[in-house]
PDB file of all heavy atoms in Angstrom:
ATOM      1  N   LYS T   3     -91.977 -99.287 171.587  1.00  0.00           N
ATOM      2  CA  LYS T   3     -91.540-100.287 170.627  1.00  0.00           C
ATOM      3  C   LYS T   3     -92.432-101.528 170.755  1.00  0.00           C
ATOM      4  O   LYS T   3     -92.755-101.959 171.863  1.00  0.00           O
ATOM      5  CB  LYS T   3     -90.086-100.653 170.929  1.00  0.00           C
ATOM      6  CG  LYS T   3     -89.461-101.586 169.960  1.00  0.00           C
ATOM      7  CD  LYS T   3     -88.002-101.798 170.318  1.00  0.00           C
ATOM      8  CE  LYS T   3     -87.332-102.655 169.306  1.00  0.00           C
ATOM      9  NZ  LYS T   3     -85.908-102.845 169.617  1.00  0.00           N
ATOM     10  N   LEU T   6     -92.378-108.927 169.566  1.00  0.00           N
ATOM     11  CA  LEU T   6     -93.117-110.150 169.277  1.00  0.00           C
ATOM     12  C   LEU T   6     -92.445-111.305 170.004  1.00  0.00           C
ATOM     13  O   LEU T   6     -91.253-111.560 169.821  1.00  0.00           O
ATOM     14  CB  LEU T   6     -93.114-110.422 167.768  1.00  0.00           C
ATOM     15  CG  LEU T   6     -93.673-111.767 167.336  1.00  0.00           C
ATOM     16  CD1 LEU T   6     -95.157-111.866 167.663  1.00  0.00           C
ATOM     17  CD2 LEU T   6     -93.440-111.988 165.863  1.00  0.00           C
ATOM     18  N   ASP T   7     -93.200-111.984 170.833  1.00  0.00           N
ATOM     19  CA  ASP T   7     -92.701-113.167 171.517  1.00  0.00           C
ATOM     20  C   ASP T   7     -93.091-114.382 170.683  1.00  0.00           C
ATOM     21  O   ASP T   7     -94.236-114.806 170.696  1.00  0.00           O
ATOM     22  CB  ASP T   7     -93.303-113.264 172.911  1.00  0.00           C
ATOM     23  CG  ASP T   7     -92.879-114.522 173.666  1.00  0.00           C
ATOM     24  OD1 ASP T   7     -92.070-115.324 173.113  1.00  0.00           O
ATOM     25  OD2 ASP T   7     -93.355-114.716 174.790  1.00  0.00           O
ATOM     26  N   SER T   9     -91.648-117.350 170.976  1.00  0.00           N
ATOM     27  CA  SER T   9     -91.084-118.536 171.627  1.00  0.00           C
ATOM     28  C   SER T   9     -91.969-119.769 171.480  1.00  0.00           C
ATOM     29  O   SER T   9     -91.461-120.891 171.384  1.00  0.00           O
ATOM     30  CB  SER T   9     -90.792-118.253 173.096  1.00  0.00           C
ATOM     31  OG  SER T   9     -91.986-117.910 173.780  1.00  0.00           O
ATOM     32  N   PRO T  13     -91.008-124.626 168.380  1.00  0.00           N
ATOM     33  CA  PRO T  13     -91.056-126.052 168.054  1.00  0.00           C
ATOM     34  C   PRO T  13     -91.356-126.311 166.563  1.00  0.00           C
ATOM     35  O   PRO T  13     -91.096-127.387 166.056  1.00  0.00           O
ATOM     36  CB  PRO T  13     -92.195-126.590 168.926  1.00  0.00           C
ATOM     37  CG  PRO T  13     -92.299-125.634 170.057  1.00  0.00           C
ATOM     38  CD  PRO T  13     -91.944-124.295 169.463  1.00  0.00           C
ATOM     39  N   PHE T  23     -85.434-113.048 158.565  1.00  0.00           N
ATOM     40  CA  PHE T  23     -86.353-112.015 158.092  1.00  0.00           C
ATOM     41  C   PHE T  23     -86.095-110.648 158.720  1.00  0.00           C
ATOM     42  O   PHE T  23     -86.718-109.653 158.326  1.00  0.00           O
ATOM     43  CB  PHE T  23     -87.801-112.433 158.346  1.00  0.00           C
ATOM     44  CG  PHE T  23     -88.249-113.531 157.444  1.00  0.00           C
ATOM     45  CD1 PHE T  23     -88.282-114.840 157.884  1.00  0.00           C
ATOM     46  CD2 PHE T  23     -88.617-113.253 156.138  1.00  0.00           C
ATOM     47  CE1 PHE T  23     -88.691-115.864 157.044  1.00  0.00           C
ATOM     48  CE2 PHE T  23     -89.025-114.266 155.284  1.00  0.00           C
ATOM     49  CZ  PHE T  23     -89.050-115.574 155.743  1.00  0.00           C
ATOM     50  N   PRO T  25     -83.754-108.275 158.492  1.00  0.00           N
ATOM     51  CA  PRO T  25     -83.485-107.133 157.617  1.00  0.00           C
ATOM     52  C   PRO T  25     -84.722-106.669 156.845  1.00  0.00           C
ATOM     53  O   PRO T  25     -84.956-105.467 156.691  1.00  0.00           O
ATOM     54  CB  PRO T  25     -82.403-107.649 156.655  1.00  0.00           C
ATOM     55  CG  PRO T  25     -81.761-108.780 157.378  1.00  0.00           C
ATOM     56  CD  PRO T  25     -82.853-109.401 158.198  1.00  0.00           C
ATOM     57  N   ARG T  26     -85.542-107.584 156.391  1.00  0.00           N
ATOM     58  CA  ARG T  26     -86.747-107.219 155.644  1.00  0.00           C
ATOM     59  C   ARG T  26     -87.762-106.535 156.563  1.00  0.00           C
ATOM     60  O   ARG T  26     -88.412-105.570 156.167  1.00  0.00           O
ATOM     61  CB  ARG T  26     -87.364-108.465 154.994  1.00  0.00           C
ATOM     62  CG  ARG T  26     -88.600-108.169 154.208  1.00  0.00           C
ATOM     63  CD  ARG T  26     -88.304-107.327 152.980  1.00  0.00           C
ATOM     64  NE  ARG T  26     -89.532-107.103 152.231  1.00  0.00           N
ATOM     65  CZ  ARG T  26     -89.876-105.951 151.696  1.00  0.00           C
ATOM     66  NH1 ARG T  26     -89.067-104.925 151.755  1.00  0.00           N
ATOM     67  NH2 ARG T  26     -91.010-105.833 151.072  1.00  0.00           N
ATOM     68  N   ILE T  34     -92.784 -97.828 156.407  1.00  0.00           N
ATOM     69  CA  ILE T  34     -94.030 -97.405 157.052  1.00  0.00           C
ATOM     70  C   ILE T  34     -93.844 -96.065 157.744  1.00  0.00           C
ATOM     71  O   ILE T  34     -94.633 -95.143 157.565  1.00  0.00           O
ATOM     72  CB  ILE T  34     -94.534 -98.474 158.037  1.00  0.00           C
ATOM     73  CG1 ILE T  34     -95.053 -99.687 157.268  1.00  0.00           C
ATOM     74  CG2 ILE T  34     -95.607 -97.911 158.965  1.00  0.00           C
ATOM     75  CD1 ILE T  34     -95.360-100.880 158.135  1.00  0.00           C
ATOM     76  N   GLN T  36     -91.514 -93.808 157.335  1.00  0.00           N
ATOM     77  CA  GLN T  36     -91.074 -92.726 156.454  1.00  0.00           C
ATOM     78  C   GLN T  36     -92.129 -92.387 155.404  1.00  0.00           C
ATOM     79  O   GLN T  36     -91.980 -91.433 154.657  1.00  0.00           O
ATOM     80  CB  GLN T  36     -89.754 -93.102 155.775  1.00  0.00           C
ATOM     81  CG  GLN T  36     -88.599 -93.209 156.744  1.00  0.00           C
ATOM     82  CD  GLN T  36     -87.368 -93.837 156.128  1.00  0.00           C
ATOM     83  OE1 GLN T  36     -87.299 -94.075 154.922  1.00  0.00           O
ATOM     84  NE2 GLN T  36     -86.391 -94.131 156.961  1.00  0.00           N
ATOM     85  N   PRO T  40     -95.171 -98.892 148.561  1.00  0.00           N
ATOM     86  CA  PRO T  40     -96.550 -99.098 148.102  1.00  0.00           C
ATOM     87  C   PRO T  40     -97.554 -98.900 149.236  1.00  0.00           C
ATOM     88  O   PRO T  40     -97.314 -99.303 150.362  1.00  0.00           O
ATOM     89  CB  PRO T  40     -96.563-100.557 147.639  1.00  0.00           C
ATOM     90  CG  PRO T  40     -95.141-100.977 147.529  1.00  0.00           C
ATOM     91  CD  PRO T  40     -94.353-100.080 148.419  1.00  0.00           C
ATOM     92  N   ASN T  42     -98.490 -96.076 150.589  1.00  0.00           N
ATOM     93  CA  ASN T  42     -98.137 -95.032 151.550  1.00  0.00           C
ATOM     94  C   ASN T  42     -99.247 -94.001 151.771  1.00  0.00           C
ATOM     95  O   ASN T  42     -99.213 -93.269 152.745  1.00  0.00           O
ATOM     96  CB  ASN T  42     -96.825 -94.349 151.188  1.00  0.00           C
ATOM     97  CG  ASN T  42     -96.886 -93.615 149.867  1.00  0.00           C
ATOM     98  OD1 ASN T  42     -97.944 -93.490 149.272  1.00  0.00           O
ATOM     99  ND2 ASN T  42     -95.749 -93.155 149.405  1.00  0.00           N
ATOM    100  N   ALA T  43    -100.236 -93.974 150.906  1.00  0.00           N
ATOM    101  CA  ALA T  43    -101.358 -93.039 151.097  1.00  0.00           C
ATOM    102  C   ALA T  43    -102.326 -93.538 152.173  1.00  0.00           C
ATOM    103  O   ALA T  43    -103.214 -92.803 152.590  1.00  0.00           O
ATOM    104  CB  ALA T  43    -102.099 -92.845 149.779  1.00  0.00           C
ATOM    105  N   LEU T  45    -101.537 -94.701 155.351  1.00  0.00           N
ATOM    106  CA  LEU T  45    -100.790 -94.904 156.587  1.00  0.00           C
ATOM    107  C   LEU T  45    -101.218 -93.970 157.719  1.00  0.00           C
ATOM    108  O   LEU T  45    -100.481 -93.771 158.675  1.00  0.00           O
ATOM    109  CB  LEU T  45     -99.282 -94.730 156.322  1.00  0.00           C
ATOM    110  CG  LEU T  45     -98.660 -95.773 155.405  1.00  0.00           C
ATOM    111  CD1 LEU T  45     -97.206 -95.413 155.099  1.00  0.00           C
ATOM    112  CD2 LEU T  45     -98.741 -97.158 156.016  1.00  0.00           C
ATOM    113  N   GLY T  46    -102.417 -93.431 157.642  1.00  0.00           N
ATOM    114  CA  GLY T  46    -102.889 -92.525 158.682  1.00  0.00           C
ATOM    115  C   GLY T  46    -102.942 -93.149 160.061  1.00  0.00           C
ATOM    116  O   GLY T  46    -102.859 -92.459 161.075  1.00  0.00           O
ATOM    117  N   VAL T  48    -100.694 -94.973 161.443  1.00  0.00           N
ATOM    118  CA  VAL T  48     -99.379 -95.137 162.070  1.00  0.00           C
ATOM    119  C   VAL T  48     -99.190 -94.173 163.238  1.00  0.00           C
ATOM    120  O   VAL T  48     -98.734 -94.564 164.309  1.00  0.00           O
ATOM    121  CB  VAL T  48     -98.249 -94.961 161.033  1.00  0.00           C
ATOM    122  CG1 VAL T  48     -96.882 -94.963 161.706  1.00  0.00           C
ATOM    123  CG2 VAL T  48     -98.313 -96.059 159.977  1.00  0.00           C
ATOM    124  N   ASP T  49     -99.529 -92.920 163.054  1.00  0.00           N
ATOM    125  CA  ASP T  49     -99.342 -91.927 164.100  1.00  0.00           C
ATOM    126  C   ASP T  49    -100.595 -91.686 164.932  1.00  0.00           C
ATOM    127  O   ASP T  49    -100.609 -90.824 165.797  1.00  0.00           O
ATOM    128  CB  ASP T  49     -98.892 -90.597 163.479  1.00  0.00           C
ATOM    129  CG  ASP T  49     -97.516 -90.704 162.877  1.00  0.00           C
ATOM    130  OD1 ASP T  49     -96.675 -91.437 163.435  1.00  0.00           O
ATOM    131  OD2 ASP T  49     -97.268 -90.063 161.836  1.00  0.00           O
ATOM    132  N   LEU T  52    -100.523 -91.150 168.696  1.00  0.00           N
ATOM    133  CA  LEU T  52     -99.937 -89.883 169.132  1.00  0.00           C
ATOM    134  C   LEU T  52    -100.909 -88.724 168.963  1.00  0.00           C
ATOM    135  O   LEU T  52    -100.709 -87.656 169.531  1.00  0.00           O
ATOM    136  CB  LEU T  52     -98.659 -89.595 168.340  1.00  0.00           C
ATOM    137  CG  LEU T  52     -97.569 -90.661 168.435  1.00  0.00           C
ATOM    138  CD1 LEU T  52     -96.419 -90.321 167.505  1.00  0.00           C
ATOM    139  CD2 LEU T  52     -97.083 -90.810 169.864  1.00  0.00           C
ATOM    140  N   ASP T  55    -107.022 -87.796 171.343  1.00  0.00           N
ATOM    141  CA  ASP T  55    -107.147 -86.988 172.554  1.00  0.00           C
ATOM    142  C   ASP T  55    -107.884 -87.767 173.651  1.00  0.00           C
ATOM    143  O   ASP T  55    -108.477 -88.815 173.411  1.00  0.00           O
ATOM    144  CB  ASP T  55    -107.826 -85.646 172.276  1.00  0.00           C
ATOM    145  CG  ASP T  55    -109.270 -85.786 171.810  1.00  0.00           C
ATOM    146  OD1 ASP T  55    -109.809 -86.906 171.812  1.00  0.00           O
ATOM    147  OD2 ASP T  55    -109.861 -84.763 171.452  1.00  0.00           O
ATOM    148  N   ALA T  57    -110.636 -87.261 175.275  1.00  0.00           N
ATOM    149  CA  ALA T  57    -112.078 -87.446 175.107  1.00  0.00           C
ATOM    150  C   ALA T  57    -112.371 -88.634 174.198  1.00  0.00           C
ATOM    151  O   ALA T  57    -113.296 -89.413 174.450  1.00  0.00           O
ATOM    152  CB  ALA T  57    -112.705 -86.176 174.544  1.00  0.00           C
ATOM    153  N   VAL T  59    -110.390 -91.240 173.723  1.00  0.00           N
ATOM    154  CA  VAL T  59    -110.029 -92.450 174.476  1.00  0.00           C
ATOM    155  C   VAL T  59    -111.170 -92.822 175.414  1.00  0.00           C
ATOM    156  O   VAL T  59    -111.551 -93.994 175.522  1.00  0.00           O
ATOM    157  CB  VAL T  59    -108.713 -92.249 175.259  1.00  0.00           C
ATOM    158  CG1 VAL T  59    -108.467 -93.409 176.215  1.00  0.00           C
ATOM    159  CG2 VAL T  59    -107.536 -92.074 174.314  1.00  0.00           C
ATOM    160  N   ALA T  61    -114.347 -92.101 175.069  1.00  0.00           N
ATOM    161  CA  ALA T  61    -115.473 -92.596 174.260  1.00  0.00           C
ATOM    162  C   ALA T  61    -115.245 -94.044 173.850  1.00  0.00           C
ATOM    163  O   ALA T  61    -116.177 -94.852 173.839  1.00  0.00           O
ATOM    164  CB  ALA T  61    -115.658 -91.709 173.037  1.00  0.00           C
ATOM    165  N   ILE T  62    -114.015 -94.379 173.531  1.00  0.00           N
ATOM    166  CA  ILE T  62    -113.681 -95.773 173.173  1.00  0.00           C
ATOM    167  C   ILE T  62    -113.896 -96.685 174.374  1.00  0.00           C
ATOM    168  O   ILE T  62    -114.452 -97.781 174.249  1.00  0.00           O
ATOM    169  CB  ILE T  62    -112.242 -95.860 172.636  1.00  0.00           C
ATOM    170  CG1 ILE T  62    -112.142 -95.161 171.276  1.00  0.00           C
ATOM    171  CG2 ILE T  62    -111.787 -97.315 172.533  1.00  0.00           C
ATOM    172  CD1 ILE T  62    -110.729 -94.959 170.768  1.00  0.00           C
ATOM    173  N   ALA T  65    -117.613 -97.226 174.895  1.00  0.00           N
ATOM    174  CA  ALA T  65    -118.137 -98.149 173.879  1.00  0.00           C
ATOM    175  C   ALA T  65    -117.691 -99.574 174.149  1.00  0.00           C
ATOM    176  O   ALA T  65    -118.475-100.518 174.028  1.00  0.00           O
ATOM    177  CB  ALA T  65    -117.684 -97.698 172.485  1.00  0.00           C
ATOM    178  N   GLN T  67    -116.931-100.900 177.032  1.00  0.00           N
ATOM    179  CA  GLN T  67    -117.666-101.387 178.201  1.00  0.00           C
ATOM    180  C   GLN T  67    -119.081-101.794 177.819  1.00  0.00           C
ATOM    181  O   GLN T  67    -119.600-102.811 178.279  1.00  0.00           O
ATOM    182  CB  GLN T  67    -117.692-100.298 179.290  1.00  0.00           C
ATOM    183  CG  GLN T  67    -118.182-100.769 180.606  1.00  0.00           C
ATOM    184  CD  GLN T  67    -117.174-101.673 181.279  1.00  0.00           C
ATOM    185  OE1 GLN T  67    -116.762-102.684 180.730  1.00  0.00           O
ATOM    186  NE2 GLN T  67    -116.791-101.323 182.489  1.00  0.00           N
ATOM    187  N   ILE T  69    -120.104-102.804 174.877  1.00  0.00           N
ATOM    188  CA  ILE T  69    -120.028-104.015 174.052  1.00  0.00           C
ATOM    189  C   ILE T  69    -119.756-105.208 174.933  1.00  0.00           C
ATOM    190  O   ILE T  69    -120.318-106.253 174.801  1.00  0.00           O
ATOM    191  CB  ILE T  69    -118.946-103.875 172.969  1.00  0.00           C
ATOM    192  CG1 ILE T  69    -119.367-102.810 171.961  1.00  0.00           C
ATOM    193  CG2 ILE T  69    -118.669-105.197 172.264  1.00  0.00           C
ATOM    194  CD1 ILE T  69    -118.277-102.392 170.993  1.00  0.00           C
TER     195      ILE T  69
END
Side-chain angles (χ1 to χ4, degrees):
K3 185 176 184 179
L6 171 65
D7 177 2
S9 61
F23 288 100
R26 180 67 178 138
I34 289 170
Q36 293 169 8
N42 63 8
L45 294 174
V48 173
D49 293 325
L52 302 175
D55 64 7
V59 170
I62 291 169
Q67 191 72 303
I69 293 169

